Amino acid sequence: MGDEQYMRRAIELAKRGCGWVNPNPLVGAVVVKGGRIIGEGYHARCGQAHAERRALTDCAASPVGATLYVTLEPCCHEGRTPPCTEAMLASGIARVVIGSRDPNPLVAGKGVEALRAQGVEVVQDVERGACDEVNRSFFHFIQHRTPYVVMKYAMTMDGKIATASGLSRWITGEAARLQVHQDRLRHSAIMVGVGTVLADDPLLTCRIEGGRNPLRVVCDTHLRTPETAAVVATSGDVPTVIATAVADADRHRPYRAAGCGVMVVPRDGDHIDLAALMRALGEREVDSLLLEGGGTLNWSALRSGVVHRVQAYVAPKIFGGRAMTPVGGAGVAEPGAAVRLGPPAISRLGDDLLLDSEVLACSPES
């Protein structure tokens, strides 16, 4: 096996921490000596040992003179855990192969320098594209301190997210719905508008055995969320925040009593300022957010420039009629003002398709 194969194994390990390490990065590490793997590790929980330390602890033989493969540049600063470079130098590792470069100003090349200064051979950028992809949310968050936002919706082939009567369960099949729950596990938060709460009364939980529920965020400018709504009734068990422009503490009281947090956000026209909300969530270390809103919130989010990726699940069905579409609002006046997306990655999930595109221009007015 060569460097690329060992790094791909490290990537597989890194993904095992998905949903549990936020706002830290997903990292995997492999120790190789004499052509065989003698130790493996990954970052399993925020605040617990990093991948490099776990791999060195796992070694079945002495790591002196071995090569350590790691998906992200090792940290060299004291954070929630001690610097990984110290453990690597103490272990006698002779060579380190790195996938991604860490944009965190506390690391950003310093980890490589610390290793090279002590005579360790360092090779960078092995399988960098695949390693970068694993930590797309982390890279955005560490540089901007706002969540990486993925707008997700399911629609029919004629572009409808509900029938003319407003029913939407279920557009897609089981495989697509399972993928959504895996994405809920992966992201720190899930966000909807009050319209979705009123229409569907969703739970917005992760229905994966042993999984973790994301923070639920309800955008509710005028504070219309019913006190009997599922997200309010279960807020004692699942972290929930209502983001509103209503500053009246008396109006907040029943929600707080139920266990909800209430976040007062300034207005932007007729809705809350979504950019301000993202900054506030970033202060709470929400590094990634899955937007599962209706057409109104989706349009507002796109216009606000807070959406970074769009995931469209497309079912081979046609509803017809004047049913709802994924993105509402006023829309753009001419084709040239469209929100531009990158070429989609296309996945087959049962009978459904997932189109996954990066937003190239977050705001139609940019």
Side-chain angles (χ1 to χ4, degrees):
M1 292 174 66
D3 287 349
E4 291 77 13
Q5 288 82 2
Y6 289 124
M7 186 61 74
R8 285 197 284 272
R9 173 57 183 166
I11 293 170
E12 291 177 8
L13 293 167
K15 292 177 180 178
R16 294 183 183 180
C18 185
W20 300 103
V21 303
N22 313 59
N24 284 356
L26 293 164
V27 185
V30 175
V31 182
V32 177
K33 188 174 183 179
R36 69 184 185 94
I37 295 175
I38 63 170
E40 295 184 333
Y42 65 96
H43 187 33
R45 293 286 192 280
C46 182
Q48 294 186 6
H50 288 186
E52 300 93 322
R53 288 180 175 269
R54 288 172 63 99
L56 290 169
T57 301
D58 182 64
C59 281
S62 170
V64 174
T67 297
L68 188 148
Y69 295 83
V70 61
T71 56
L72 181 67
E73 179 182 0
C75 65
C76 54
H77 66 287
E78 190 84 26
R80 291 183 174 95
T81 58
C84 289
T85 50
E86 289 183 0
M88 295 162 71
L89 292 169
S91 73
I93 287 287
R95 180 171 179 259
V96 176
V97 180
I98 298 170
S100 293
R101 302 186 181 213
D102 194 338
N104 185 344
L106 295 174
V107 184
K110 299 181 182 69
V112 170
E113 291 175 7
L115 294 170
R116 285 177 173 163
Q118 297 300 316
V120 176
E121 178 188 352
V122 179
V123 178
Q124 298 188 84
D125 301 335
V126 174
E127 293 290 323
R128 181 174 179 177
C131 290
D132 286 354
E133 179 67 18
V134 170
N135 281 311
R136 190 166 51 204
S137 297
F138 168 75
F139 289 158
H140 170 84
F141 179 72
I142 204 67
Q143 294 177 84
H144 302 284
R145 307 306 296 184
T146 58
Y148 185 86
V149 178
V150 177
M151 187 174 82
K152 163 264 165 186
Y153 52 83
M155 67 180 186
T156 60
M157 285 186 68
D158 60 334
K160 305 298 193 297
I161 61 172
T163 64
S165 63
L167 299 178
S168 61
R169 297 179 181 174
W170 297 101
I171 292 176
T172 53
E174 290 186 6
R177 297 201 296 274
L178 175 59
Q179 178 66 43
V180 170
H181 285 288
Q182 290 172 340
D183 284 340
R184 288 182 178 181
L185 172 64
R186 180 176 296 112
H187 292 79
S188 293
I190 179 171
M191 187 169 80
V192 298
V194 66
T196 296
V197 173
L198 293 171
D200 300 333
D201 195 24
L203 267 176
L204 305 175
T205 53
C206 173
R207 263 91 84 184
I208 293 178
E209 187 175 353
R212 171 200 57 83
N213 289 317
L215 171 71
R216 300 180 300 196
V217 180
V218 179
C219 293
D220 185 358
T221 304
H222 305 290
L223 207 51
R224 296 185 295 136
T225 299
E227 295 174 28
T228 56
V231 290
V232 176
T234 60
S235 60
D237 300 316
V238 183
T240 306
V241 168
I242 298 177
T244 182
V246 175
D248 184 350
D250 289 336
R251 296 276 306 278
H252 301 171
R253 190 166 291 115
Y255 300 104
R256 294 190 186 278
C260 292
V262 179
M263 186 179 292
V264 178
V265 182
R267 283 177 179 268
D268 177 17
D270 59 356
H271 58 78
I272 61 173
D273 187 331
L274 293 176
L277 175 58
M278 293 304 111
R279 291 192 294 271
L281 291 173
E283 291 175 0
R284 294 179 57 144
E285 293 198 320
V286 174
D287 69 334
S288 54
L289 183 147
L290 188 63
L291 172 58
E292 294 194 23
T296 300
L297 180 58
N298 286 347
W299 174 249
S300 296
L302 288 167
R303 283 186 60 85
S304 298
V306 302
V307 180
H308 304 99
R309 202 162 198 88
V310 175
Q311 293 181 337
Y313 291 83
V314 183
K317 301 175 182 178
I318 291 178
F319 284 170
R322 296 188 177 183
M324 293 179 285
T325 58
V327 181
V332 299
E334 56 185 46
V339 177
R340 299 189 299 279
L341 306 177
I346 303 174
S347 305
R348 181 79 176 265
L349 298 165
D351 293 334
D352 307 312
L353 294 178
L354 169 59
L355 279 64
D356 187 347
S357 288
E358 180 184 3
V359 177
L360 301 181
C362 289
S363 171
E365 297 176 344
S366 62

